Amino acid sequence: MAPNRAKLHVFPHLLTIAFAFFLAGAGLTPAFAHHLEGMDNPEFQVALSLWLSGDEEHAIPALAALSQDDNAASQLLLGLIDKTAAIQGPLIASLSRDERLALLRSEGGMSGQNWMHAAAKSAVIAQNWVSLWQMRGGVEIARSFAESDEPRAARIALVTEVNRRGTGFEPSLMSEAWYPDSMRHLTKSRTLSPEEVADLHPGIPIRKSAGLPLHDADLRDWLQETPEAMHLQAACDRHCPWSRGDCVLALYKGFNSYYALLVIGSPSANLVPELDFAQSPRGIQSVARHIMVRHTARTRDVMLRHLRNVDECTVSWLEDEFRRYAPSARNGQIRSD
């Protein structure tokens, strides 16, 4: 499929590698409850650190080369990058279809094959992703993700299952220890009583499931303190710390979805803990990218005009991020994002 695939095994210059090892040693390689084969490989840790720092130019070819060498951790990460536009930078967006397939997928078929299928030979987490994508199974996939310490993936699986069958879950399931409290509103009727949300913060969006109003002031307060919004908080701390409250509110309104808040985050908590991802350049950039891909070019402009009434700083940052994906910018020599 790609005659130059063998040439992908090219690592960055020594200074870039040294910087990546510094990042890896600065807290990006903690102890993990579920070990993925290949995640301790020094070359993988370099590639992972480069990717988190925003250097797609060197990270993606390195991950591709490691995936060809049967590194399951690299295969899982590259498989999720291939499937998740929100964690793709402008360099990937600038590639032609053939270049994308050669860089992000293994050989096979008309369009190559996502690397997750190779990772599934040895990793339960990868097996769960393949099953979810192929709509094989139901709640057991979410349960397995949760047991593998992948809470974001578990939430994605639950949302997928609700959308697939058009109804929520039985009380017996929702009372299980692994079931996320952030999704307590996904009942069979998709409603809650006021008594069932009485213990919740007045700004949490699921109060609307009980027919209760959600005021911006309460939502702003909740977004500034809840762990579910850590990625928004990190982006605002980096770019708009002087207007943090309005910034997180603006970003949430850009998502325009409580579910979007629950599914954004680290591609794999076993590879990159959520807080590390949230505070990384890649994680912060993914917040803007996630908002960008939820809107067409036309609705994006309308959305930004509305958000300008909430926080000017946030809109300025989002416009800068969106601009990096514009064709004229992508056609330039983008060295990293």
Side-chain angles (χ1 to χ4, degrees):
M1 177 179 64
N4 293 325
R5 182 180 290 274
K7 296 181 181 180
L8 295 177
H9 206 330
V10 178
F11 273 77
H13 299 298
L14 292 177
L15 286 178
T16 311
I17 293 179
F19 174 68
F21 273 122
F22 170 79
L23 287 176
L28 295 177
T29 55
F32 296 88
H34 295 272
H35 189 275
L36 286 166
E37 183 180 346
M39 64 183 292
D40 293 330
N41 183 317
E43 290 187 343
F44 173 73
Q45 286 298 320
V46 169
L48 175 61
S49 295
L50 289 168
W51 183 70
L52 290 171
S53 74
D55 186 351
E56 282 188 325
E57 180 192 11
H58 295 111
I60 300 300
L63 290 170
L66 287 165
S67 295
Q68 294 173 50
D69 290 340
D70 294 326
N71 183 297
S74 184
Q75 291 168 345
L76 185 142
L77 178 57
L78 203 59
L80 288 170
I81 292 172
D82 177 41
K83 282 281 193 175
T84 315
I87 59 176
Q88 297 172 5
L91 187 64
I92 290 180
S94 72
L95 299 175
S96 68
R97 179 180 181 276
D98 288 344
E99 289 171 335
R100 284 174 59 87
L101 296 180
L103 201 56
L104 298 180
R105 298 186 181 184
S106 65
E107 296 180 350
M110 295 294 293
S111 302
Q113 187 173 56
N114 185 282
W115 279 110
M116 195 66 72
H117 295 274
K121 297 175 183 177
S122 61
V124 172
I125 295 171
Q127 293 166 12
N128 288 333
W129 278 114
V130 171
S131 295
L132 181 63
W133 293 340
Q134 296 181 347
M135 303 299 288
R136 300 198 313 261
V139 171
E140 65 272 14
I141 299 175
R143 184 184 290 108
S144 182
F145 272 136
E147 292 171 349
S148 298
D149 292 333
E150 294 285 352
R152 185 188 74 93
R155 294 192 295 269
I156 290 175
L158 289 172
V159 171
T160 301
E161 180 64 8
V162 166
N163 290 337
R164 183 182 69 84
R165 63 190 196 178
T167 185
F169 304 114
E170 298 288 349
S172 58
L173 170 68
M174 301 177 73
S175 65
E176 294 183 17
W178 67 270
Y179 187 89
D181 191 58
S182 59
M183 307 184 83
R184 66 162 72 179
H185 60 299
L186 295 183
T187 62
K188 294 290 287 186
S189 65
R190 307 289 291 274
T191 62
L192 295 169
S193 69
E195 292 74 25
E196 289 175 311
V197 298
D199 62 322
L200 299 179
H201 190 290
I204 187 170
I206 64 175
R207 283 170 52 89
K208 293 193 293 185
S209 299
L212 299 176
L214 182 65
H215 303 294
D216 278 357
D218 293 327
L219 176 59
R220 181 189 291 106
D221 291 342
W222 177 75
L223 289 168
Q224 289 191 84
E225 65 182 49
T226 181
E228 278 80 9
M230 72 168 68
H231 299 88
L232 279 61
Q233 296 160 10
C236 292
D237 288 342
R238 179 72 59 85
H239 293 284
C240 302
W242 50 85
S243 59
R244 187 179 192 266
D246 289 337
C247 175
V248 292
L249 180 62
L251 291 177
Y252 181 82
K253 288 180 176 292
F255 284 160
N256 195 32
S257 168
Y258 177 64
Y259 292 116
L261 189 69
L262 297 181
V263 302
I264 190 174
S266 172
S268 169
N270 280 272
L271 295 179
V272 189
E274 284 296 345
L275 184 59
D276 287 341
F277 184 76
Q279 295 177 344
S280 71
R282 169 63 59 219
I284 290 172
Q285 292 157 5
S286 74
V287 173
R289 178 63 170 161
H290 193 99
I291 293 173
M292 181 180 179
V293 299
R294 289 183 62 82
H295 299 272
T296 65
R298 181 181 61 81
T299 62
R300 197 177 302 145
D301 290 339
V302 174
M303 177 265 298
L304 289 173
R305 286 200 297 272
H306 289 161
L307 295 189
R308 202 175 298 277
N309 296 323
V310 181
D311 186 52
E312 180 71 34
C313 175
T314 302
V315 171
S316 178
W317 173 60
L318 289 175
E319 288 176 334
D320 287 344
E321 284 295 303
F322 295 172
R323 199 172 295 118
R324 297 193 307 125
Y325 290 86
S328 58
R330 296 203 310 263
N331 290 336
Q333 293 298 314
I334 301 174
R335 307 308 296 174
S336 65
D337 47 307

